[in-house]
Amino acid sequence: MNQDYIIPNEWSIIEEGFNNERIKSSESLFSIGNGAMGQRANFEEHYSGDTFQGSYIAGVYYPDKTRVGWWKNGYPEYFAKVLNAPSWIGINVIINGEQLDLYACKKVENFRRELNMKEGWLSRRFNATLQNGTEISVNTKRFLSLDLDELGAINYNIKPLNKDAEILYQPYLDSGITNEDSNWDDKFWDTLKVSHQNNQAFINAKTMKTDFYICTFMESQLFIDRKCILVEPNIKADANFASFSYKQAVEKGSTYTIHKFGGYTVDRNHDKDELISEATGALKKATQKGFNTLLNDQKKAWSEIWEMSDITIEGDVKAQQGIRFNILQLNHTYLGKDSRLNIGPKGFTGEKYGGSTYWDTEAYCIPFYMATKDQEVARNLLEYRYNHLEKAIENAEKLGFKNGAALYPMVTMNGEECHNEWEITFEEIHRNGAIAFAIFNYHRFTNDYSYIPEKGLEVLIGIARFWHQRATFSTDKNKYVILGVTGPNEYENNVNNNWYTNYIAQWSMTYALENIIKVKAEFSTDYTRVMHKVKLSEVEMKEWEEVANNMYFPYSEKHEVYLQQDGFLDKELITVLDLPKSERPINQKWSWDRILRSPYIKQADVLQGFYFFEDHFTKEELEKHFNFYEPFTVHESSLSPCVHSIQAAKLGKMDQAYEFYLRTSRLDLDDYNKEVEEGLHITSMAGTWMSIVEGFGGMRIKDGTLSFEPQIPQQWEAYSFKINFRGQIIKVNACQGHTHFELEGDQDLDILVNGKAVTISPNKLTTV
Amino acid sequence: MNQDYIIPNEWSIIEEGFNNERIKSSESLFSIGNGAMGQRANFEEHYSGDTFQGSYIAGVYYPDKTRVGWWKNGYPEYFAKVLNAPSWIGINVIINGEQLDLYACKKVENFRRELNMKEGWLSRRFNATLQNGTEISVNTKRFLSLDLDELGAINYNIKPLNKDAEILYQPYLDSGITNEDSNWDDKFWDTLKVSHQNNQAFINAKTMKTDFYICTFMESQLFIDRKCILVEPNIKADANFASFSYKQAVEKGSTYTIHKFGGYTVDRNHDKDELISEATGALKKATQKGFNTLLNDQKKAWSEIWEMSDITIEGDVKAQQGIRFNILQLNHTYLGKDSRLNIGPKGFTGEKYGGSTYWDTEAYCIPFYMATKDQEVARNLLEYRYNHLEKAIENAEKLGFKNGAALYPMVTMNGEECHNEWEITFEEIHRNGAIAFAIFNYHRFTNDYSYIPEKGLEVLIGIARFWHQRATFSTDKNKYVILGVTGPNEYENNVNNNWYTNYIAQWSMTYALENIIKVKAEFSTDYTRVMHKVKLSEVEMKEWEEVANNMYFPYSEKHEVYLQQDGFLDKELITVLDLPKSERPINQKWSWDRILRSPYIKQADVLQGFYFFEDHFTKEELEKHFNFYEPFTVHESSLSPCVHSIQAAKLGKMDQAYEFYLRTSRLDLDDYNKEVEEGLHITSMAGTWMSIVEGFGGMRIKDGTLSFEPQIPQQWEAYSFKINFRGQIIKVNACQGHTHFELEGDQDLDILVNGKAVTISPNKLTTV
């Protein structure tokens, strides 16, 4: 049922053969990025077939006016949209008077695309016969520089095969672009200036409403058979477009090459009046180094990323390719250098889901970044929310909460809510809990407590206040209840007492109280500053305690499980196994109401709670809950299989764990959901990483100690991963029957392996 | 808090003084209609101020492509919209070269508008001083003919007051109109032909997609001081417009008059190629009779309507005006002549709510039409649903039901669903029960059983099948439950076991079974025909019985009331009285989620069930439920106060009953909801009628006998109404202390008054 045109390869994503029906899928799969910008794998030359053009700049968005069928009070006025940015990659190619266009060629042969994950570049080659009979071979390579993150480079080569050819390269900049996704057909970009000097062109543009100023720029170098040549360009510049045309007679068998350098300078990093001079500076670096040196730098930079974050899998090429693809795309999307940025669910690979930040970041992405980068990266992600605290308080006020209660938005770009389904926007409030949990998780992993007194405590207080106000006392139950919510399982809406939500609400209040006490005792200056700011009374804290201690949790005595929500047992409890295949996926086959009243679970809900708060429950309890809920889980969210994989591994159900792993790791490569053309599922890729490290590897932090319980799927010979734990790098290499541990750094580390203390020493292989 | 510019008057709606901020409100309030067409009270002459132009033709709609923020599986592709139709009322007026435009005059004095309810016409007069200094007095009258329902007539008079004037009348037709409400800015009308002959003009147009063909037409007569004159017109006809210009020198003090006749011929009633000749025929009748004769016919026709449907109230002019306004507008909207038509919530007074038919028809309107018209009218309303049965089955199939289960749409024009909020469209399924209830109610009132074997039974079976499939067995409760619904109270969404829904579901299945047995025994030919068609097995019927007999109803032992839905008692039960006024109406002050988790009830829900199934419960039970639910009811639906008024009256709480009555009867005249400019609340007007007849009058049918328990608000001296009961007309005249009954017809009638048998005789006053 899934596509399988991607050729299995340990280090590359490879497509062979030209098929115009795959263009949009491949544009997603071969996307590249460098954390500051990213782009779909659109062709440089003109393509008249079906294509989805996309070039994105981190942090640049447009607040599109909300459009709904029926307005509900409280909807945000604007819905931030990821913006397709002015394009710098375009190179029109005219050969003997005919524009090269793969959709219009007489013949395209030998087409091959490669996304080289190890070295961080995208290449393409093909032979084409034009309508005018000219046969050519084309070879291109493109990358977005990790080192110089305002820059990208393209190497484009054409060799006439059957006759001499007059070849015209027309590299261009284009700000006359549109969004696939827009509510009102508004114009998103305002082009301010199109200019050029020497061999360089610039388009200064700004976004409407948000006033993000950017400059996109380019400069090119030309070569015949690798020898640099000077060609006098024909220059064109109009309202939204700038191009240089380099015409050259090329002998049959010779190669005419253009190196195009381009990218964006943005006012997040520079004064908006300096964008052209900064662009000139970037181009100067690029042209001085030249394409090949830049490419070598790129290889080096990627090798450093892989050095820390690679996961190897032996004996299963597709699994190896899948996990590396996930790690690659996560690094394309976010490198953690800037706390103003975050991880969009589609990264730089599409527009869907509008805003950039979901609770995915806290629930799924932070563990990956904590373990594979320096701890500043995870801290930056925490600070992103700290910086949005005021907006979260405003958001809660809009919904009727007061006194500094904070409700973080479901989807955001700048801290404001920009989602507008009432059952999600207003009710999927558990997201607030994940933001508190991430603070706990960061401290648990890094042992860096400083974040809490400095910043985290205010966030924890705002969140606790929200939960306190959101819970209501039921005289009927003589407990506090939380009514009208949507849990992580979005196949239930407006339910009462979603267990996960109630649990994380209770925990958030308790955790806030614990930290208030700790900060008071240990960081009195911070304590005074924070208390002065938030004006928290003893009475209010007592109330939190009262609510937390008397929270209601739906429970079935009969099944000995917590119920996902009130009334869950009223459903027709027919398991997924007994559901005809023809009815799945239910989100395509069933009407929404039918999904809602079914027992089917889109993504881990109670089990998500058991994942977050593992230590609060026994393994027997986990097993009961897993056995109860897994049969009803349809995993129609990309974020679901990873949690089930981890839980299955913990319960020793390795076959199931492996099955879930496969589903998550090649979700996009094999296009399970038939939608990869819209972009990749970036945030779930971090879940894939967790499936291996926390699932198979059993990595945990237990009372501050790094712990593993390694298992290995029988399909694999071995797998390895590295963990950056509190400044030391631990490499875990699990084989059938034993696991090796290696340690970088200069001092021993006590870890737990299968519950037993093991001391591992630097540069010494420890085998368990 | 409400507007009060409408002058109290027993038989007229009157506005005095020109205020351009009231224009849109008055355009709604002074709307006219004749069942076949209707129009907002837009001025005939040009008006450059804020206005909402609307002219509507019964049954003519456009399926606008659904536009939503987030698509849910099962949404209908189209959303039928009431269409603003080509306009025939326009008369441009040019006086001494200046266009008359009340928004641009130097001075407007003596402005008065009257909607004469007794005689069915709309008039307007004013004195105006134009920018060019010409002073004029203007007098207009307009009506839509009840007798000739394709026709309307306008009498427009101008008298120059301070000098002679050259006056140009330019009556025109215009098909270049737009809708206020459209999803995609599509074009709705396609003008086919603009033509004229002699003094007549025609525009043939058709709706896009739905292909309704209509012809709008006009002809005019001119007079000076009531003497017919011939003026050679200047004729203009372009793509969407046709006009005749009649220029005339008018002496100061003389009156220049135009009688304009116009209207629509439509292909619902004629061959689409005959629309012009039918229009010619209509114009011939109009011009032969002339304005004054037509007006006399109109008075006569309205006097016949009032003869049967008038309600008099003595001692309370505002209450009198309110109830007559309601009865007038109901008759503007629907006269019951055509079973292809129905009663839109805004009638012909606005575009809001798109489609025409809601469950309002069955739950609120049928009693009014049954009691004030011949029984064919109510039967036509039942047949409307019979004719849509196949579409209702298709609608259910789209949502996963099968085997002939029918789910009637929430909103419809042609039987297809055209609403798109999941919580309403998919979940407000109780509407299906109201459609079954209307069949029961019709039989109860008219004693005409023939409808059931002929048509109703198939509808009852389709509906029973739906409920059978929609209920699911809860092993936990050992009962059948109905999960994920929205009850009549739309301030709850996706709840389990809404008591009203479960109750009407149970009743619908039981009632269908009873009727199958009865039809089998008494109408065997119909039985065989129907059974052959629906293929209903004994097994399926047994299953209905099983579900009906084991339906679950949420109940509170503590409060001794049925609970509106599962979990109702978990709410914070703070009554409306304790809710700060500043927080109301909650639908404007609170976010949607807050409304949902509150205990506040938008419109009667459990009490709606007690209203429908009154005989199933004791008065004590009613009182308990009224006392429990009324304090939480915010009546933010126009359909709510009438039911509470009836229940309060039954419980002898006359002060409350009167208060609810006031709220419903002058809802639009006093613009309680600050939205009357969008149009009138037509369907709730039938509820107002019920408040008096069933509330104060206590009218019921008890075992086939007409029964009254008359009470009277202390604020009134007397009130009277008539009931057409099985061919006999009973007039009830309730005073403080006693009630008079009069009977038309030729035989005695046994009725119940306060539970006691009373025989009333024709043409004899019976006082109780």
Side-chain angles (χ1 to χ4, degrees), chain A residues 25-45:
Chain A
S25 295
S26 291
E27 283 173 342
S28 296
L29 289 171
F30 290 82
S31 288
I32 56 178
N34 67 0
M37 61 175 159
Q39 49 185 231
R40 292 171 57 80
N42 305 130
F43 297 160
E44 291 85 2
E45 79 278 2

PDB file of all heavy atoms in Angstrom, chain A residues 25-45:
ATOM      1  N   SER A  25       5.902  14.548  -4.040  1.00  0.00           N
ATOM      2  CA  SER A  25       6.392  13.704  -2.938  1.00  0.00           C
ATOM      3  C   SER A  25       7.900  13.867  -2.771  1.00  0.00           C
ATOM      4  O   SER A  25       8.408  14.029  -1.657  1.00  0.00           O
ATOM      5  CB  SER A  25       6.082  12.230  -3.200  1.00  0.00           C
ATOM      6  OG  SER A  25       4.701  12.013  -3.206  1.00  0.00           O
ATOM      7  N   SER A  26       8.600  13.814  -3.892  1.00  0.00           N
ATOM      8  CA  SER A  26      10.060  13.914  -3.801  1.00  0.00           C
ATOM      9  C   SER A  26      10.496  15.301  -3.361  1.00  0.00           C
ATOM     10  O   SER A  26      11.498  15.458  -2.658  1.00  0.00           O
ATOM     11  CB  SER A  26      10.703  13.561  -5.145  1.00  0.00           C
ATOM     12  OG  SER A  26      10.528  12.186  -5.396  1.00  0.00           O
ATOM     13  N   GLU A  27       9.756  16.305  -3.771  1.00  0.00           N
ATOM     14  CA  GLU A  27      10.085  17.663  -3.298  1.00  0.00           C
ATOM     15  C   GLU A  27      10.075  17.721  -1.776  1.00  0.00           C
ATOM     16  O   GLU A  27      10.861  18.439  -1.167  1.00  0.00           O
ATOM     17  CB  GLU A  27       9.079  18.678  -3.862  1.00  0.00           C
ATOM     18  CG  GLU A  27       9.313  19.027  -5.315  1.00  0.00           C
ATOM     19  CD  GLU A  27       8.203  19.903  -5.896  1.00  0.00           C
ATOM     20  OE1 GLU A  27       7.108  19.970  -5.299  1.00  0.00           O
ATOM     21  OE2 GLU A  27       8.446  20.499  -6.957  1.00  0.00           O
ATOM     22  N   SER A  28       9.171  16.951  -1.146  1.00  0.00           N
ATOM     23  CA  SER A  28       9.169  16.882   0.320  1.00  0.00           C
ATOM     24  C   SER A  28      10.339  16.049   0.823  1.00  0.00           C
ATOM     25  O   SER A  28      11.107  16.485   1.684  1.00  0.00           O
ATOM     26  CB  SER A  28       7.869  16.247   0.824  1.00  0.00           C
ATOM     27  OG  SER A  28       6.747  17.027   0.519  1.00  0.00           O
ATOM     28  N   LEU A  29      10.463  14.838   0.282  1.00  0.00           N
ATOM     29  CA  LEU A  29      11.437  13.891   0.842  1.00  0.00           C
ATOM     30  C   LEU A  29      12.866  14.391   0.697  1.00  0.00           C
ATOM     31  O   LEU A  29      13.706  14.120   1.559  1.00  0.00           O
ATOM     32  CB  LEU A  29      11.300  12.529   0.156  1.00  0.00           C
ATOM     33  CG  LEU A  29      10.041  11.747   0.513  1.00  0.00           C
ATOM     34  CD1 LEU A  29       9.897  10.520  -0.382  1.00  0.00           C
ATOM     35  CD2 LEU A  29      10.089  11.329   1.984  1.00  0.00           C
ATOM     36  N   PHE A  30      13.150  15.100  -0.389  1.00  0.00           N
ATOM     37  CA  PHE A  30      14.529  15.551  -0.627  1.00  0.00           C
ATOM     38  C   PHE A  30      14.760  16.978  -0.121  1.00  0.00           C
ATOM     39  O   PHE A  30      15.734  17.619  -0.483  1.00  0.00           O
ATOM     40  CB  PHE A  30      14.870  15.435  -2.124  1.00  0.00           C
ATOM     41  CG  PHE A  30      14.987  14.003  -2.601  1.00  0.00           C
ATOM     42  CD1 PHE A  30      13.852  13.281  -2.922  1.00  0.00           C
ATOM     43  CD2 PHE A  30      16.217  13.377  -2.703  1.00  0.00           C
ATOM     44  CE1 PHE A  30      13.945  11.955  -3.350  1.00  0.00           C
ATOM     45  CE2 PHE A  30      16.334  12.061  -3.124  1.00  0.00           C
ATOM     46  CZ  PHE A  30      15.189  11.343  -3.447  1.00  0.00           C
ATOM     47  N   SER A  31      13.848  17.445   0.726  1.00  0.00           N
ATOM     48  CA  SER A  31      13.994  18.788   1.297  1.00  0.00           C
ATOM     49  C   SER A  31      15.328  18.945   2.022  1.00  0.00           C
ATOM     50  O   SER A  31      15.842  17.974   2.589  1.00  0.00           O
ATOM     51  CB  SER A  31      12.897  19.029   2.341  1.00  0.00           C
ATOM     52  OG  SER A  31      11.651  19.186   1.745  1.00  0.00           O
ATOM     53  N   ILE A  32      15.846  20.162   2.012  1.00  0.00           N
ATOM     54  CA  ILE A  32      17.063  20.450   2.770  1.00  0.00           C
ATOM     55  C   ILE A  32      16.837  21.670   3.669  1.00  0.00           C
ATOM     56  O   ILE A  32      15.909  22.441   3.450  1.00  0.00           O
ATOM     57  CB  ILE A  32      18.284  20.682   1.838  1.00  0.00           C
ATOM     58  CG1 ILE A  32      17.987  21.800   0.823  1.00  0.00           C
ATOM     59  CG2 ILE A  32      18.660  19.380   1.130  1.00  0.00           C
ATOM     60  CD1 ILE A  32      19.169  22.122  -0.092  1.00  0.00           C
ATOM     61  N   GLY A  33      17.677  21.792   4.674  1.00  0.00           N
ATOM     62  CA  GLY A  33      17.538  22.922   5.594  1.00  0.00           C
ATOM     63  C   GLY A  33      18.782  23.057   6.439  1.00  0.00           C
ATOM     64  O   GLY A  33      19.626  22.152   6.482  1.00  0.00           O
ATOM     65  N   ASN A  34      18.898  24.188   7.070  1.00  0.00           N
ATOM     66  CA  ASN A  34      20.056  24.390   7.956  1.00  0.00           C
ATOM     67  C   ASN A  34      19.667  25.086   9.257  1.00  0.00           C
ATOM     68  O   ASN A  34      20.480  25.776   9.867  1.00  0.00           O
ATOM     69  CB  ASN A  34      21.163  25.170   7.227  1.00  0.00           C
ATOM     70  CG  ASN A  34      20.755  26.601   6.917  1.00  0.00           C
ATOM     71  OD1 ASN A  34      19.633  27.007   7.261  1.00  0.00           O
ATOM     72  ND2 ASN A  34      21.631  27.349   6.268  1.00  0.00           N
ATOM     73  N   GLY A  35      18.424  24.919   9.662  1.00  0.00           N
ATOM     74  CA  GLY A  35      17.982  25.518  10.919  1.00  0.00           C
ATOM     75  C   GLY A  35      17.530  26.961  10.759  1.00  0.00           C
ATOM     76  O   GLY A  35      16.616  27.404  11.434  1.00  0.00           O
ATOM     77  N   ALA A  36      18.181  27.687   9.855  1.00  0.00           N
ATOM     78  CA  ALA A  36      17.817  29.088   9.646  1.00  0.00           C
ATOM     79  C   ALA A  36      16.895  29.243   8.449  1.00  0.00           C
ATOM     80  O   ALA A  36      16.155  30.208   8.343  1.00  0.00           O
ATOM     81  CB  ALA A  36      19.064  29.931   9.439  1.00  0.00           C
ATOM     82  N   MET A  37      17.012  28.318   7.528  1.00  0.00           N
ATOM     83  CA  MET A  37      16.129  28.326   6.356  1.00  0.00           C
ATOM     84  C   MET A  37      16.035  26.912   5.819  1.00  0.00           C
ATOM     85  O   MET A  37      16.792  26.021   6.217  1.00  0.00           O
ATOM     86  CB  MET A  37      16.666  29.275   5.269  1.00  0.00           C
ATOM     87  CG  MET A  37      18.043  28.901   4.741  1.00  0.00           C
ATOM     88  SD  MET A  37      18.526  29.981   3.365  1.00  0.00           S
ATOM     89  CE  MET A  37      20.317  29.780   3.375  1.00  0.00           C
ATOM     90  N   GLY A  38      15.113  26.718   4.933  1.00  0.00           N
ATOM     91  CA  GLY A  38      14.973  25.397   4.345  1.00  0.00           C
ATOM     92  C   GLY A  38      14.146  25.493   3.100  1.00  0.00           C
ATOM     93  O   GLY A  38      13.506  26.520   2.837  1.00  0.00           O
ATOM     94  N   GLN A  39      14.188  24.420   2.321  1.00  0.00           N
ATOM     95  CA  GLN A  39      13.462  24.482   1.059  1.00  0.00           C
ATOM     96  C   GLN A  39      13.071  23.090   0.597  1.00  0.00           C
ATOM     97  O   GLN A  39      13.755  22.099   0.874  1.00  0.00           O
ATOM     98  CB  GLN A  39      14.292  25.195  -0.012  1.00  0.00           C
ATOM     99  CG  GLN A  39      15.701  24.681  -0.099  1.00  0.00           C
ATOM    100  CD  GLN A  39      16.572  25.450  -1.069  1.00  0.00           C
ATOM    101  OE1 GLN A  39      17.198  24.840  -1.914  1.00  0.00           O
ATOM    102  NE2 GLN A  39      16.615  26.763  -0.945  1.00  0.00           N
ATOM    103  N   ARG A  40      11.967  23.041  -0.078  1.00  0.00           N
ATOM    104  CA  ARG A  40      11.579  21.819  -0.746  1.00  0.00           C
ATOM    105  C   ARG A  40      12.522  21.605  -1.921  1.00  0.00           C
ATOM    106  O   ARG A  40      13.166  22.546  -2.409  1.00  0.00           O
ATOM    107  CB  ARG A  40      10.128  21.928  -1.204  1.00  0.00           C
ATOM    108  CG  ARG A  40       9.152  21.971  -0.018  1.00  0.00           C
ATOM    109  CD  ARG A  40       7.749  22.288  -0.460  1.00  0.00           C
ATOM    110  NE  ARG A  40       7.258  21.354  -1.451  1.00  0.00           N
ATOM    111  CZ  ARG A  40       6.766  20.142  -1.198  1.00  0.00           C
ATOM    112  NH1 ARG A  40       6.697  19.717   0.053  1.00  0.00           N
ATOM    113  NH2 ARG A  40       6.359  19.360  -2.173  1.00  0.00           N
ATOM    114  N   ALA A  41      12.585  20.352  -2.390  1.00  0.00           N
ATOM    115  CA  ALA A  41      13.555  20.029  -3.432  1.00  0.00           C
ATOM    116  C   ALA A  41      13.010  20.401  -4.813  1.00  0.00           C
ATOM    117  O   ALA A  41      12.994  19.584  -5.728  1.00  0.00           O
ATOM    118  CB  ALA A  41      13.934  18.549  -3.344  1.00  0.00           C
ATOM    119  N   ASN A  42      12.570  21.646  -4.931  1.00  0.00           N
ATOM    120  CA  ASN A  42      12.116  22.124  -6.246  1.00  0.00           C
ATOM    121  C   ASN A  42      13.300  22.168  -7.204  1.00  0.00           C
ATOM    122  O   ASN A  42      14.426  22.441  -6.797  1.00  0.00           O
ATOM    123  CB  ASN A  42      11.515  23.531  -6.117  1.00  0.00           C
ATOM    124  CG  ASN A  42      10.396  23.611  -5.091  1.00  0.00           C
ATOM    125  OD1 ASN A  42      10.388  24.471  -4.227  1.00  0.00           O
ATOM    126  ND2 ASN A  42       9.450  22.700  -5.171  1.00  0.00           N
ATOM    127  N   PHE A  43      13.011  21.941  -8.474  1.00  0.00           N
ATOM    128  CA  PHE A  43      14.075  22.033  -9.479  1.00  0.00           C
ATOM    129  C   PHE A  43      14.539  23.477  -9.615  1.00  0.00           C
ATOM    130  O   PHE A  43      13.752  24.396  -9.460  1.00  0.00           O
ATOM    131  CB  PHE A  43      13.566  21.562 -10.851  1.00  0.00           C
ATOM    132  CG  PHE A  43      13.140  20.112 -10.879  1.00  0.00           C
ATOM    133  CD1 PHE A  43      12.288  19.666 -11.885  1.00  0.00           C
ATOM    134  CD2 PHE A  43      13.592  19.203  -9.942  1.00  0.00           C
ATOM    135  CE1 PHE A  43      11.886  18.328 -11.945  1.00  0.00           C
ATOM    136  CE2 PHE A  43      13.191  17.869  -9.988  1.00  0.00           C
ATOM    137  CZ  PHE A  43      12.334  17.433 -10.995  1.00  0.00           C
ATOM    138  N   GLU A  44      15.813  23.640  -9.948  1.00  0.00           N
ATOM    139  CA  GLU A  44      16.310  24.988 -10.210  1.00  0.00           C
ATOM    140  C   GLU A  44      15.712  25.513 -11.509  1.00  0.00           C
ATOM    141  O   GLU A  44      15.304  26.669 -11.613  1.00  0.00           O
ATOM    142  CB  GLU A  44      17.844  24.999 -10.325  1.00  0.00           C
ATOM    143  CG  GLU A  44      18.568  24.735  -9.014  1.00  0.00           C
ATOM    144  CD  GLU A  44      18.728  23.253  -8.711  1.00  0.00           C
ATOM    145  OE1 GLU A  44      18.307  22.407  -9.544  1.00  0.00           O
ATOM    146  OE2 GLU A  44      19.282  22.925  -7.636  1.00  0.00           O
ATOM    147  N   GLU A  45      15.694  24.658 -12.545  1.00  0.00           N
ATOM    148  CA  GLU A  45      15.182  25.112 -13.842  1.00  0.00           C
ATOM    149  C   GLU A  45      13.652  25.050 -13.835  1.00  0.00           C
ATOM    150  O   GLU A  45      13.054  24.416 -12.984  1.00  0.00           O
ATOM    151  CB  GLU A  45      15.766  24.243 -14.971  1.00  0.00           C
ATOM    152  CG  GLU A  45      15.127  22.880 -15.170  1.00  0.00           C
ATOM    153  CD  GLU A  45      15.673  21.822 -14.205  1.00  0.00           C
ATOM    154  OE1 GLU A  45      16.527  22.152 -13.355  1.00  0.00           O
ATOM    155  OE2 GLU A  45      15.212  20.666 -14.288  1.00  0.00           O
TER     156      GLU A  45
END
